[in-house]
Amino acid sequence: MENQASELKMLMKEHSGKQHRPRIIAVTSGKGGVGKTNISINMAIAYAQIGKKVLLIDGDLGMANVNVLLNVVPQYNLLHVVNQEKRMEEIITDTEFGIKFIAGANGFSQIANLSESELEYFIQELNTLNSFDIIIIDTSAGIANNVLQLVAAADEVFIVTTPEPTAITDAYGIIKIITTEISVHREMKLQLLVNRVHSGDEGKRIADRIINIASQFLNYKIEYLGFIYDDPAVSMSVIRQKPFMEVLPSSKPSVCIKHIVGRVEKMEFHGSDGVTGFLRKFLSKK
């Protein structure tokens, strides 16, 4: 994996040249079921709402489900690219939410472990997507090779966890793998996002625990990205197959997503939903 991570970055450098290159964000987690895909989708929409041209890639190569949550049936997916039947730009699917996306290859084990030549072609194709400002890759959960390959291709990594002890342990586990097998080859920005919290204090407390352990035992600085409230708006949006940023823009999870993206981009959201007021009210409820 160390050699692959190093080769991956070299390939990206070779093929990117001096042309405009999108910022690539990988959203990952140590275990499944922490809400990673929902966060990826709604964060992509938040970026689009501040004027960014956004591409969301479903990198969950075994159980791809971004298309289900977006209620879109794509004609092509990443397997067509790996098999060199299609170019990456040919499998981009439009959505009604202001973002474009590329579907993962659900149920195909072949794509989960790419050969060196397949990986090289995949990265070459990834680097053809230079018309976008932001590319968000929703990876599989865990530490399989395909996850680490996608993480290695990113500029920034958002690690999602929840207050559950198993999720916290697994979040630290993937941080350890990334920092010891990938980041040794280059500087990598890791940021921690705590999902399904009941208060701002809970999110900060959990993040501090992971960040302090990573600093002490891995000698690596992890940044706290923020938190997202546990709220019925999320399950309601999943049932309706529409992102909560669209159907419930004033809900607590939507406000949290907007706040996180706004802080990362050093800007404020403006709109009829009164984000600043909502956020101030929610943060005061410890």
Side-chain angles (χ1 to χ4, degrees):
M1 182 60 213
E2 288 186 21
N3 289 336
Q4 274 189 326
S6 182
E7 290 167 5
L8 199 62
K9 213 56 199 174
M10 286 175 63
L11 282 169
M12 294 194 70
K13 250 184 173 179
E14 286 174 15
H15 297 298
S16 62
K18 293 186 177 180
Q19 61 187 340
H20 167 75
R21 181 176 172 269
R23 202 164 109 229
I24 301 177
I25 301 170
V27 182
T28 193
S29 63
K31 72 184 291 291
V34 298
K36 174 179 53 58
T37 297
N38 248 317
I39 289 170
S40 298
I41 292 170
N42 287 280
M43 194 169 286
I45 292 172
Y47 269 109
Q49 288 180 356
I50 58 172
K52 302 291 185 181
K53 190 174 181 182
V54 185
L55 174 67
L56 175 63
I57 298 179
D58 191 343
D60 191 334
L61 305 179
M63 298 294 290
N65 60 4
V66 168
N67 60 300
V68 176
L69 296 180
L70 292 175
N71 195 23
V72 175
V73 180
Q75 187 174 0
Y76 304 108
N77 58 50
L78 286 176
L79 187 63
H80 294 94
V81 175
V82 172
N83 289 339
Q84 301 190 24
E85 298 169 5
K86 291 288 179 182
R87 304 291 304 275
M88 194 78 83
E89 61 185 15
E90 294 176 319
I91 67 168
I92 295 173
T93 302
D94 287 318
T95 76
E96 61 181 289
F97 309 114
I99 64 172
K100 296 179 185 292
F101 96 102
I102 288 177
N106 197 346
F108 291 93
S109 59
Q110 171 194 343
I111 199 172
N113 294 289
L114 303 182
S115 68
E116 187 175 333
S117 61
E118 288 171 335
L119 178 61
E120 180 174 357
Y121 183 75
F122 181 87
I123 297 303
Q124 285 176 353
E125 283 298 302
L126 187 62
N127 275 283
T128 65
L129 305 174
N130 291 309
S131 63
F132 293 93
D133 300 310
I134 303 284
I135 295 177
I136 296 177
I137 304 176
D138 174 36
T139 78
S140 307
I143 56 172
N145 274 348
N146 65 291
V147 176
L148 300 181
Q149 288 164 1
L150 291 174
V151 166
D155 302 301
E156 301 169 49
V157 183
F158 295 170
I159 298 165
V160 180
T161 188
T162 68
E164 295 178 6
T166 53
I168 294 170
T169 301
D170 289 342
Y172 176 74
I174 196 166
I175 289 170
K176 185 175 181 180
I177 294 292
I178 292 171
T179 56
T180 56
E181 294 197 18
I182 297 177
S183 65
V184 291
H185 301 284
R186 64 183 179 90
E187 187 176 343
M188 176 173 281
K189 189 174 184 180
L190 303 184
Q191 300 184 76
L192 187 65
L193 192 157
V194 186
N195 193 24
R196 297 178 188 153
V197 303
H198 295 95
S199 71
D201 278 350
E202 182 182 29
K204 184 69 163 59
R205 185 172 63 252
I206 290 165
D208 284 345
R209 188 190 315 172
I210 297 172
I211 289 168
N212 291 337
I213 293 173
S215 176
Q216 181 179 352
F217 293 101
L218 303 176
N219 193 30
Y220 204 93
K221 183 181 178 183
I222 311 294
E223 296 183 15
Y224 178 40
L225 185 63
F227 67 89
I228 299 174
Y229 280 103
D230 188 20
D231 192 271
V234 178
S235 57
M236 191 184 306
S237 70
V238 170
I239 292 170
R240 294 175 64 176
Q241 291 181 278
K242 286 186 179 291
F244 55 77
M245 283 282 294
E246 287 287 327
V247 294
L248 295 163
S250 296
S251 65
K252 291 193 282 187
S254 294
V255 172
C256 289
I257 289 284
K258 292 175 183 179
H259 175 64
I260 288 168
V261 170
R263 193 175 71 231
V264 169
E265 297 299 313
K266 296 180 174 57
M267 66 181 296
E268 291 185 12
F269 274 82
H270 298 283
S272 59
D273 54 346
V275 172
T276 303
F278 257 88
L279 187 64
R280 189 179 296 115
K281 182 173 71 173
F282 292 147
L283 290 176
S284 67
K285 293 182 179 179
K286 305 294 186 182

